[in-house]
Structure formats: C-alpha cells, structure tokens
Amino acid sequence: MTQEAFPVDPRELRNAFGQFATGVTVVTCRSDDGVPHGATVNAFTAVSLDPPLAQVTLTRTSRAAQYLDGAPFAINILSQDQLDVAWHFAGKPLSYEPAWALDGNVPILLENKATLECTPWAIYDGGDHIIVIGEVQKLEVTNREPLLFFGGKFREIGPLTGSSHWHHSGDSLESGWFSGADSFKAFNSI
C-alpha cells in the first residue's frame, strides 16, 4: 500500500516545527579575511559522544553559512540574559557590539550558558539549509539559565516537571544515552 503524497504548506510546516521547544545558539566563525561573524540558530543537536560531535543547521542564504566550509566555529548556547544578543545575530542589530573574545581563530560570545568550540567534521545538503557537524575540541558550561525558543517566541525555563533525576532517567552516562531505546517496541494492536 503506497501513501498518496500531499502538498505541505510551508507556513503550516514552520508552525509545526515551532511546536518543538529548543535552546537558542549563535554560531560564530571568521571569514577568510579574519572578520568575526555570527548567526542565531535554534537548530542544534548533540550527535555523538565518541567522537564528540555537535550539529547545527543554518539557512543556506545566511552569511555565516558561507564561512563554515572547512573553518573552525563555535556554538554559543545562549543564556536567558542574552536575548539582545539573539536578536542582534538574527538581523536586528544592537547599537553596540555584543561582548565577545577571540580564542585562537574562533570568536566566542561572553556570558553564554555553554560554549562548544568545534573543528569541521562534515557538511551535508539540507534543502534550503546546510547541516554542519563539528567535532567539539573545547567546551565551557556555566550555571546560567538557558534562553529558549517555542512557538515563534523567546522563553525562559520554567519549574521542574516530575521527580526524575539524572541517574534515574534513561538518559544516563552510566547506562548510555537513552539506553532503553536501543530497540523499537511494536505498538499493541487494538
């Protein structure tokens, strides 16, 4: 039995994608002439612990996307105090430059929730986006609260839900990431 293909309205698809709450990152790198650049990106995910890989997805037309081919970059995971930084790198420039430092060849924003410095691993075609995977070379994690994005709006983290603790969840370093999901269980027939 084949499924009939239905056209997907891009606005409806964007709204559906927006139902997944994400963190907010700014991907930073340098152009060939050494000028620092950045782009606000909420399409970020962990890929692998061994080797340590992280992925970001950028609109093909963004300036930062053109500079990432073969270049080191940083994934700046923003804190909730960096809303103005998120807007700045999303195309609504501030009247002042966001605080940043140059660590080697990679510009790093200051006051992040976390920072991952990466070397290029692979770039893949993602339609109107490019999928960039970097090997994490250096990282910093702070105790700041993260900036979130949901339903087309920036958000702050809310109270904890449930009583599950790290070592009681399936996402445990001792037993592997979501180790309980190493096989798919069939749905029970009704």
Side-chain angles (χ1 to χ4, degrees):
M1 177 184 230
T2 61
Q3 273 190 311
E4 188 176 336
F6 293 98
V8 176
D9 177 84
R11 185 75 236 167
E12 286 182 30
L13 182 60
R14 186 179 182 102
N15 289 340
F17 287 162
Q19 298 310 298
F20 185 72
T22 68
V24 181
T25 72
V26 171
V27 175
T28 53
C29 62
R30 294 183 105 181
S31 61
D32 291 338
D33 58 1
V35 176
H37 289 272
T40 299
V41 174
N42 70 335
F44 159 75
T45 190
V47 175
S48 170
L49 293 176
D50 185 19
L53 301 176
Q55 170 188 308
V56 290
T57 306
L58 293 95
T59 306
R60 235 178 237 292
T61 57
S62 73
R63 267 193 252 165
Q66 65 184 303
Y67 302 131
L68 287 176
D69 191 12
F73 61 96
I75 302 169
N76 301 269
I77 300 171
L78 299 187
S79 68
Q80 69 184 26
D81 295 331
Q82 293 177 295
L83 177 59
D84 56 345
V85 174
W87 281 117
H88 177 80
F89 288 103
K92 294 185 178 179
L94 296 168
S95 59
Y96 57 92
E97 187 169 297
W100 64 280
L102 186 60
D103 185 13
N105 289 327
V106 183
I108 303 293
L109 295 172
L110 302 180
E111 301 180 12
N112 295 330
K113 168 66 179 153
T115 307
L116 305 171
E117 293 183 50
C118 302
T119 54
W121 179 268
I123 295 180
Y124 299 99
D125 180 8
D128 59 1
H129 284 62
I130 61 167
I131 301 163
V132 180
I133 297 178
E135 184 172 8
V136 179
Q137 300 295 321
K138 185 176 174 186
L139 61 94
E140 179 185 353
V141 178
T142 71
N143 62 359
R144 293 179 176 91
E145 293 294 325
L147 180 62
L148 302 178
F149 194 75
F150 172 75
K153 295 181 172 85
F154 291 104
R155 312 277 179 143
E156 293 181 4
I157 200 163
L160 293 175
T161 303
S163 61
S164 158
H165 207 61
W166 175 267
H167 64 279
H168 294 296
S169 74
D171 186 12
S172 164
L173 289 176
E174 294 81 27
S175 61
W177 284 57
F178 295 102
S179 64
D182 58 1
S183 65
F184 290 106
K185 296 189 186 260
F187 285 100
N188 292 330
S189 306
I190 298 178

